Amino acid sequence: MRTTRSAGAPRTAGVVFTAAVIVYFAAVVHRTALGVAGVDAIDRFGLSATMLALFSVVQLTAYAGMQIPAGQLLDRFGARSVLVAGSLVMAAGQLLLALSDQVGWALVARVLIGAGDAPIFIGACRLVAEWFPPRRIPVMVQTTGLIGQAGQLASAIPVAWLLHSQGWTVAFATLAGLGVVAASVAFVGIRSAASSASHAPERFLSAVRSAARPHGTRLGFWSHFLCPFSANVVALLWGVPFFVTAQNRTPGEASLLLIVLTLSAMITGPLAGQFTARHPLRRSWAVLATAGATLVAWSVLLAFDTPRPLWQLLLFVVVLGAGAPISLVGVDFARTSTPQERLGAATGFVNMGGFTSTILGVLAVGLVLQLVSPPGASIYTLDAYRVAFAVLLLPWLVGLVGVLHHRRRTRTELAAEGVHLRPVRDVLRWRRPSVVRPRVR
């Protein structure tokens, strides 16, 4: 993909990237803050466990539903304007959440947070594609994701401390202030390297079809659908109750498991970026290997009808944690399959995949838990969780079929263009860099 970087590009690219990742870090703090405030939210709004789950689902649905519109806004207006607006919308949502004590207004606040969050990551990816050479882009995208994972740790420690020491209103008002700071950083530090904004934008459905038409982009969607949802289902809602009530772990041990899951994602990200940059023809290998490892991890865990030792649970979350950074390979598929003027919409389309599978997974586990448990139950047995988590095999199979189908179609298209896969023995020669066309996978 072409870039139009100026003579001062290296220094300017660093400034732009720093500003973009600061904005994304703040967005992840916004996205995950409620995860440390579940008990406080139950007390403040009088929530049941089901209504608390609805808070997460509403936010994720707004985020996923806004991906393609956010991508179109990026294509039309550029990253700077859209990231400023997204940060301010999230700030408004956090301020509303800070001041509200009614469920209805709290749900509106969650919608604002999800909608404002929607363009942040795909905007950061677009800036990386504009400002960095093609061989560095996969590593820089993974670095962006790694810094976002650090935002999740920030929610778990300083936000939790602020909430418990200063109270709900001060904590979420402070997060609103963080949104204003992020908007200011975006306004000052972000600029585009290419004139990608469109003054004659396509209609919505036409833009969606155009962005999603390449099989490489569809392969990216299904890669993003397949890889991260297991980790998200555990991290966003069902991990802590499963570990505490079904695996007999203490709350501290459950928190440790979630931290290890996050650290696994942070460590895997740079490795995935190096592999993707070095072997662009073999990116689907990483996707399929991670999907296979995730299936094995779930199968081993759910095969036992007794609680597992801590070391086995640690291995389980390490494997699941790798799914989040590997899902970003899907974003790289979109980058190498899409013209610059449609990159925002295509990246939004791909990014919608993992959040769609996450919503389906969270809802499916909750529904099955209710079906297999006594009426009115709020604490579920290990056997109930075994049945509920087994349902995650369905989205896994759907995602796997999507990856394999579009992988085959993509390779057929490349072969027609004269691009053929090299023998495996050549790919595995790590000392000699791969020299391939940039539009391959």
Side-chain angles (χ1 to χ4, degrees):
M1 179 172 293
R2 299 189 307 270
T3 60
T4 56
R5 295 175 295 154
S6 62
R11 181 174 180 179
T12 305
V15 172
V16 171
F17 179 73
T18 299
V21 296
I22 289 174
V23 174
Y24 180 52
F25 175 90
V28 174
V29 175
H30 288 304
R31 183 189 306 170
T32 58
L34 192 66
V36 300
V39 174
D40 300 80
I42 290 173
D43 292 338
R44 183 177 181 87
F45 300 105
L47 301 178
S48 64
T50 303
M51 283 298 298
L52 180 61
L54 182 62
F55 272 41
S56 294
V57 170
V58 163
Q59 180 184 343
L60 287 174
T61 301
Y63 180 93
M66 283 295 297
Q67 283 300 297
I68 293 177
Q72 286 187 279
L73 291 173
L74 285 165
D75 290 337
R76 183 176 182 184
F77 297 108
R80 182 190 186 191
S81 299
V82 178
L83 265 62
V84 169
S87 297
L88 291 176
V89 170
M90 283 189 288
Q94 296 290 20
L95 183 61
L96 180 59
L97 195 62
L99 300 177
S100 176
D101 57 3
Q102 298 180 5
V103 173
W105 286 114
L107 290 173
V108 171
R110 301 305 292 173
V111 169
L112 290 174
I113 294 168
D117 187 14
I120 304 301
F121 177 70
I122 60 177
C125 290
R126 184 187 182 92
L127 288 166
V128 168
E130 290 180 5
W131 281 100
F132 291 91
R135 287 192 62 83
R136 290 191 63 192
I137 290 172
V139 176
M140 300 307 293
V141 169
Q142 290 290 350
T143 302
T144 304
L146 185 153
I147 293 171
Q149 295 291 336
Q152 188 169 338
L153 292 178
S155 292
I157 302 173
V159 173
W161 172 82
L162 185 63
L163 177 68
H164 298 139
S165 63
Q166 302 297 322
W168 178 280
T169 300
V170 171
F172 284 93
T174 301
L175 289 174
L178 175 65
V180 175
V181 171
S184 302
V185 170
F187 183 80
V188 173
I190 291 177
R191 56 184 295 188
S192 284
S195 298
S196 57
S198 172
H199 296 286
E202 298 177 274
R203 293 184 178 182
F204 179 77
L205 292 179
S206 176
V208 172
R209 286 193 295 267
S210 298
R213 183 176 296 119
H215 285 287
T217 302
R218 298 183 191 184
L219 176 59
F221 173 89
W222 289 110
S223 299
H224 203 279
F225 183 100
L226 177 61
C227 290
F229 73 88
S230 286
N232 289 341
V233 166
V234 170
L236 292 177
L237 191 59
W238 295 116
V240 170
F242 170 67
F243 294 138
V244 173
T245 64
Q247 292 292 334
N248 296 335
R249 296 290 123 196
T250 66
E253 289 171 331
S255 297
L256 172 64
L257 289 166
L258 294 186
I259 290 173
V260 170
L261 185 145
T262 302
L263 293 176
S264 173
M266 295 176 69
I267 293 170
T268 305
L271 300 177
Q274 290 286 350
F275 178 84
T276 302
R278 196 176 188 91
H279 303 297
L281 276 170
R282 310 290 174 169
R283 287 175 288 184
S284 59
W285 283 12
V287 173
L288 295 173
T290 300
T294 299
L295 179 63
V296 170
W298 276 117
S299 299
V300 171
L301 182 68
L302 301 181
F304 297 94
D305 60 0
T306 56
R308 299 292 85 209
L310 183 61
W311 67 266
Q312 187 171 332
L313 296 175
L314 286 169
L315 288 177
F316 169 73
V317 297
V318 166
V319 173
L320 262 60
I326 297 300
S327 70
L328 299 185
V329 172
V331 175
D332 204 54
F333 283 132
R335 174 184 65 84
T336 56
S337 304
T338 307
Q340 176 80 20
E341 63 271 14
R342 294 195 182 103
L343 183 57
T347 306
F349 171 72
V350 168
N351 202 41
M352 190 170 61
F355 290 92
T356 301
S357 58
T358 296
I359 293 169
L360 294 174
V362 168
L363 292 176
V365 170
L367 177 62
V368 174
L369 281 174
Q370 286 191 337
L371 290 176
V372 301
S373 300
S378 58
I379 297 177
Y380 306 105
T381 66
L382 176 55
D383 286 339
Y385 275 110
R386 291 172 69 204
V387 175
F389 283 139
V391 175
L392 296 178
L393 180 63
L394 295 178
W396 185 90
L397 287 172
V398 171
L400 181 66
V401 170
V403 168
L404 293 176
H405 172 72
H406 289 290
R407 179 179 186 247
R408 183 176 65 253
R409 296 294 296 270
T410 299
R411 290 183 172 184
T412 299
E413 288 182 352
L414 290 173
E417 297 175 7
V419 179
H420 301 277
L421 273 70
R422 295 179 299 141
V424 174
R425 63 178 178 273
D426 291 342
V427 175
L428 297 178
R429 290 174 182 170
W430 286 81
R431 292 185 179 180
R432 185 163 55 192
S434 305
V435 180
V436 294
R437 289 174 55 183
R439 290 190 68 241
V440 293
R441 53 206 50 81

